[in-house]
Amino acid sequence: MSMLTTHCGESDVGGGYKNNRSFASTAQASADASGSSLKSASLSILQRNCAKCHGAGASSGGFSIVDDVEAMITSNKYIIPGAPQDSAIYKRIAVAKNMPPSGPLSDADAETIKQWIAGLNLESDALAILQNNCASCHGAGASSGGFGIIDNVEAMIASNKYIVPGNPEGSAIYKRIAVAKSMPPAGPLAASDADTIREWIAGLK
Ligand code: HEC
Ligand code: HEC
């Protein structure tokens, strides 16, 4: 099944993806680009090969969240960021090789999933987004609106306001980014960057 569909695998890593972290270093910028490319390639592999049994409205084996990355991460089972070998989806795809039941994914598709999970480093991606889009007004030496601790995660958590671990909707930074969409004032973040912030806060304990 996976062989029938053209997909964007490793060949386009590093190319073609826009990101708005405009002032990132070159190394960071290319890491971001390959991260989002791997992510979209991986989501499309999962969508094509797994969603009919594990996606919206289907829950073979009690597993129904293959199209919800954040839920797979917070499950602490299906995806363990940085650790494909410990992630249930990768174990079934490439270790047990019993998913999908009709036969294993191509090696290229399995490798894409592996690299994506291995590279998931939500915290450093999230911090880079905040640094690039918010720190000029809310970081060291700047405190627009009385908020000057965006580069201090511990302080944002301790405030019990800016970041509420496990609860993006209850966190002032996420509310401004993705609910009110009023920050940064120059215009909203890319949806993929807003998702990264959301996934990161959701996974914080
Ligand atoms: C035709 C339906 C079907 C497809 C397609 C399918 N699965 Fe499954 N999956 C099942 C069934 C049935 C089970 C329960 C039996 C078992 O555990 O082997 C299961 C179980 C699982 C489990 C264990 C669930 C748990 O909570 O322990 C994982 C993980 C999994 N599948 C991942 C995948 C992935 C990843 C894909 C795509 C690459 C996929 N499956 C494609 C039917 C499917
Ligand atoms: C160009 C400067 C600027 C940038 C960049 C900026 N902000 Fe702001 N921010 C402000 C100003 C000015 C205020 C106060 C006015 C208001 O509340 O809307 C504010 C207020 C806030 C508040 C409310 C503070 C409080 O204590 O209630 C939050 C939360 C916030 N910003 C988050 C962010 C986040 C997250 C980013 C990056 C995604 C960001 N801001 C980027 C200027 C900026």
Side-chain angles (χ1 to χ4, degrees):
M1 175 183 187
S2 63
M3 307 300 289
L4 299 176
T5 313
T6 305
H7 70 91
C8 47
E10 290 95 289
S11 58
D12 70 353
V13 163
Y17 276 81
K18 295 188 177 60
N19 72 69
N20 68 351
R21 299 171 204 171
S22 36
F23 297 107
S25 70
T26 307
Q28 181 64 48
S30 70
D32 292 345
S34 67
S36 59
S37 177
L38 278 171
K39 179 173 179 177
S40 62
S42 297
L43 295 185
S44 104
I45 292 165
L46 297 178
Q47 192 60 41
R48 286 200 313 275
N49 295 287
C50 320
K52 70 176 177 190
C53 299
H54 299 297
S59 62
S60 295
F63 170 38
S64 63
I65 52 174
V66 79
D67 45 17
D68 184 342
V69 173
E70 181 183 326
M72 285 198 288
I73 291 171
T74 55
S75 73
N76 205 28
K77 169 181 175 180
Y78 296 108
I79 293 181
I80 312 285
Q85 306 293 345
D86 297 329
S87 301
I89 62 166
Y90 183 74
K91 286 196 277 194
R92 290 299 194 113
I93 288 172
V95 184
K97 292 198 180 179
N98 60 7
M99 287 291 143
S102 57
L105 296 186
S106 69
D107 289 349
D109 282 356
E111 185 62 21
T112 297
I113 301 287
K114 180 181 184 177
Q115 287 182 14
W116 169 55
I117 295 176
L120 274 179
N121 191 334
L122 289 172
E123 176 134 312
S124 65
D125 287 355
L127 296 183
I129 291 165
L130 298 180
Q131 191 62 38
N132 294 333
N133 294 285
C134 320
S136 61
C137 299
H138 299 296
S143 61
S144 295
F147 172 36
I149 54 172
I150 199 136
D151 44 18
N152 184 338
V153 174
E154 292 299 312
M156 286 199 287
I157 292 173
S159 74
N160 203 28
K161 169 183 174 179
Y162 295 109
I163 292 180
V164 179
N167 183 2
E169 271 77 21
S171 300
I173 63 167
Y174 183 75
K175 286 196 273 194
R176 291 296 194 114
I177 287 171
V179 184
K181 293 196 179 177
S182 59
M183 288 289 145
L189 294 185
S192 62
D193 283 353
D195 281 350
T196 297
I197 301 292
R198 189 187 153 80
E199 287 163 13
W200 170 56
I201 294 176
L204 288 173
K205 302 219 165 49

